[in-house]
Each structure stands twice: as C-alpha cells, then as structure tokens.
Amino acid sequence: MRDFLYRLTKKNKFLLLTLVIIPVIIIFNQSKERTSDQEVNVYTSRHYDADDLLYEEFTKETGIKVNIISGKGSALIERLKAEGSNSPGDVFFTVDAGNLANFQKQGFLQPIQSEAIKKIVPKELRGENNEWVAVAKRARVIFYNPELVNENEIENINYEDLGDENWKGRIVIRSSSNMYNQSLVSSLISNLGIPQTEKWASNLVSNFARKPQGNDRSQIMAVANQEASIAIANTYYIGIMLSGKGGQDQLNAAKKVKIAFPNQDNRGAHINISGGGVLKYAPNRENAEKFLEFLLSEKAQNHIVNNTFEYPVLETVKPHPLIENFGVFKMDKTSVSDFGKYNPEAVKLMDRVNWQ
Ligand code: FE
C-alpha cells in the first residue's frame, strides 16, 4: 500500500482525493444524519392522550421519532392486509391477549428477539413464540354492593361459584361478543375443560339479573344502583371511576361498590394484558424492539399504570394508589396465550348456553 501511494503522482493523488476520499466522507456524513431521523411506526387500538408524553420521552432518550397510527382493531387489520409487505407498520399495540393472539394467528407478527424483554416479561404473559408481550396487566374480578351481599357469601369466592343457585337473578356481566369475557371463558376452559366450563356458563347465564348490555362500567353502575348484587368487570375501570375522570355519577357509583378477588385459595384471579408485538414486515424492526423495551422501563411503566390504572408488568413499579388500595392478591398464572388457543371453543360454548 505504501509503495502504491509513493508511486502516485501529484495529479493521481488529487484524483484519489476527489474520487474516493471525498465521496466516502459525504456518504459517512449522510448516514450520520439519517440516524437522527430514525422512526418507529406504531399501529395501536389503544390510544390515550397521556401516551403522547410517553412517546416524546422515548424520542428524547433514543432520537427515534414515534408515528402513531390509531384506530379500531378491525380497521387496523384491514389496513395491514391492504398494505401487505409494503406496510410501514413496526409495532402493533392493543388490549386483551385474545386480540393479540387472533392477530398473531393471521400471520401479522414476527417473534420478538430482545433478551431484555424476555427477561422482564414472564413466560405466561407472552405469545407462544414471543410474537407479543404484555406491557400492563388487568384483572377481571367481582364488584359487589355490600348492601346486597353478605361478607360470608363473597369470602373465598371462586368464578366457579357464580353458577350457584344463591346468585339467581343477582349477576350482571356484558355480552359474549366482548373479548374480555371470551378470554375469561377461555381461561376456564384451559383450567377446567370444556364440559365443566359449559355447565358453569349455563348456570351463570341462568343467574343473570338482566340481558347482557353495556360496557364494564355500566355493570359496576348497575351494582351501585342495586340493579344487581355483583358484576364482573376489569379492575382499571374502578380506578378511572374513582379518579373522577368518568364524571360525578361514576365517582358516586364507584364509592358504593367493593371488590372481591376470586380464586384466592387456588389458582388466583383471572389476569389479562395490554400488549404489543413487532409487525412481520417492520421496516424498523430494531426500533420496534427498542420501543417495546422502553414501554417496559421503570419510567414508562409508572406512566402507564398512573394513566390507565392497570397493573405493572415490571415488579419494581407500584400500581396507582387508587388501585393499590384494593390490596395485594393472588394473580392467576394461566398462560394468556391460552386465551387465543381456546377462543374459538369459548365463543361456541357461550353461544350454546345462550349467553347473549
Ligand atoms: Fe377496557
């Protein structure tokens, strides 16, 4: 090499400089610039205004810009289908393991590689091949009106007990088209098998105080208004209601109900998740994983639980004080990927027992 340079004439050295070295410097500078406009495209059916602050924080830490594409799950699926392998989508983010699993079954996701993520998120809170992971947890529990329910009726209660004669005409829960309920039934199928779950569901339906209607919050309202003794609903709704974010009526109602965590003497209360995965054709795959890693950081977990009233996945983070007040309880460790596995059976079973 030295011989070669030595032999170069002045003119040749000039040519070497202009043709090789200068272009190399230009390309190097351009690639440096490109890293500063890195991005990650997040498809989400779960958009909270407060999340914008979270995304800003991620950009501040990493220099990666976050583009949010939000919409209903079904609309996002249609969009991804239309985009095919040209999709700019990197991350998919939604609620309920049943939704994540159904999405995965359609081939929209690829396995997450990050060891950091796998270390934080326990196996039971991920897809079978790490196609998606939990970012937050929620429990589906019993809300009761202490004016209508005796402590001894509710003590040590199991989901299985909700089919008992004692609860005839006293239970409200939303319809079977709701994924939260489909996932609850799937978890029972996973633990008890189909025949036992079907018998239970049939008895539960015969105990309904009214035809299923409204969302989780309306079930809690019905219990507060004494239209029913108990409701089954997700834990974070009581946080939203008690915070006043849902208005005065909801705040008043929330103060009238209590929570019972089922199955504390055995497998624990039913746990579901909010979570995300990396899209199959992600053009920014590494950024997608960085984004999920960030959502599992202490800072982001604190932000999430304080805005959504869910439970954290990261063990060092505490739930919002309004939720923490309900106390520590045993969480079911049934794999949430089972909710996807048994979803078709659960839907058919609920139909057979006339759960509207
Ligand atoms: Fe919800």
Side-chain angles (χ1 to χ4, degrees):
M1 182 69 180
R2 201 180 293 160
D3 280 0
F4 167 74
L5 284 174
Y6 187 76
R7 269 188 270 121
L8 285 173
T9 61
K10 239 187 184 164
K11 194 177 154 202
N12 283 343
K13 276 183 188 162
F14 177 75
L15 270 176
L16 182 78
L17 192 72
T18 51
L19 295 178
V20 180
I21 299 176
I22 292 177
V24 164
I25 291 172
I26 291 172
I27 289 167
F28 180 71
N29 275 336
Q30 272 181 348
S31 73
K32 248 172 51 186
E33 256 166 45
R34 221 175 285 141
T35 56
S36 68
D37 53 50
Q38 285 231 39
E39 58 181 10
V40 63
N41 301 311
V42 180
Y43 282 45
T44 177
S45 68
R46 195 196 114 108
H47 190 53
Y48 295 89
D49 289 338
D51 283 351
D52 291 338
L53 287 170
L54 196 60
Y55 304 145
E56 275 169 32
E57 187 59 38
F58 175 72
T59 306
K60 220 162 73 189
E61 275 186 21
T62 61
I64 301 166
K65 194 175 157 232
V66 181
N67 303 312
I68 296 295
I69 297 94
S70 65
K72 278 197 165 182
S74 53
L76 292 177
I77 286 175
E78 285 316 309
R79 182 173 173 153
L80 282 162
K81 272 185 191 160
E83 289 170 346
S85 59
N86 293 319
S87 175
D90 296 308
V91 173
F92 182 72
F93 196 36
T94 192
V95 297
D96 204 294
N99 287 325
L100 283 158
N102 282 346
F103 189 76
Q104 167 209 326
K105 277 185 210 162
Q106 296 180 66
F108 288 122
L109 298 172
Q110 59 172 301
I112 291 164
Q113 308 292 337
S114 163
E115 289 304 320
I117 292 175
K118 290 179 213 167
K119 227 168 142 184
I120 295 168
V121 185
K123 221 171 173 351
E124 69 268 17
L125 300 179
R126 309 183 212 149
E128 223 165 327
N129 301 302
N130 307 314
E131 298 90 344
W132 41 271
V133 291
V135 161
K137 295 185 281 191
R138 58 269 301 282
R140 195 153 182 78
V141 300
I142 295 172
F143 291 84
Y144 68 97
N145 191 323
E147 304 222 351
L148 302 177
V149 176
N150 292 327
E151 282 299 321
N152 63 353
E153 284 182 297
I154 206 84
E155 239 174 21
N156 306 322
I157 196 164
N158 298 318
Y159 295 104
E160 290 89 324
D161 302 328
L162 299 177
D164 293 354
E165 277 281 320
N166 173 49
W167 297 109
K168 189 130 279 179
R170 298 173 75 192
I171 301 176
V172 281
I173 186 166
R174 67 200 290 183
S175 78
S176 61
S177 62
N178 170 251
M179 187 55 88
Y180 304 156
N181 283 340
Q182 293 174 13
S183 290
L184 175 63
V185 172
S186 300
S187 87
L188 286 167
I189 292 177
S190 169
N191 284 289
L192 310 172
I194 290 176
Q196 206 182 325
T197 304
E198 183 154 353
K199 201 169 157 219
W200 167 80
S202 170
N203 291 335
L204 175 74
V205 169
S206 70
N207 286 343
F208 285 175
R210 63 178 188 190
K211 202 175 128 188
Q213 54 191 269
N215 54 22
D216 271 16
R217 267 184 265 193
S218 8
Q219 316 307 316
I220 299 172
M221 299 287 277
V223 166
N225 298 335
Q226 306 205 357
E227 287 169 53
S229 302
I230 61 178
I232 300 170
N234 286 351
T235 41
Y236 54 90
Y237 286 113
I238 196 73
I240 300 172
M241 292 167 82
L242 284 172
S243 72
K245 283 182 181 179
Q248 194 62 43
D249 285 355
Q250 288 189 16
L251 175 60
N252 294 343
K255 285 180 181 163
K256 291 182 187 158
V257 302
K258 285 186 165 185
I259 287 185
F261 295 104
N263 297 72
Q264 292 305 288
D265 290 340
N266 40 73
R267 63 182 182 276
H270 173 68
I271 295 297
N272 207 322
I273 62 165
S274 283
V278 178
L279 285 159
K280 189 171 176 186
Y281 300 110
N284 308 292
R285 200 188 64 78
E286 276 183 32
N287 293 351
E289 298 219 348
K290 275 188 203 158
F291 181 76
L292 290 174
E293 278 172 13
F294 172 76
L295 292 181
L296 290 160
S297 69
E298 194 143 338
K299 192 182 270 176
Q301 287 280 294
N302 268 305
H303 180 96
I304 291 170
V305 299
N306 286 322
N307 283 287
T308 67
F309 301 95
E310 288 170 285
Y311 290 97
V313 169
L314 195 64
E315 280 178 13
T316 50
V317 170
K318 285 184 169 174
H320 187 286
L322 285 173
I323 293 296
E324 207 183 10
N325 268 343
F326 290 105
V328 179
F329 64 100
K330 186 176 174 186
M331 297 187 178
D332 189 350
K333 290 224 159 83
T334 299
S335 172
V336 297
S337 71
D338 277 3
F339 308 166
K341 190 164 144 194
Y342 297 115
N343 180 273
E345 292 296 350
V347 171
K348 280 186 259 173
L349 185 155
M350 291 161 102
D351 198 44
R352 286 198 298 271
V353 302
N354 259 318
W355 182 335
Q356 289 175 308

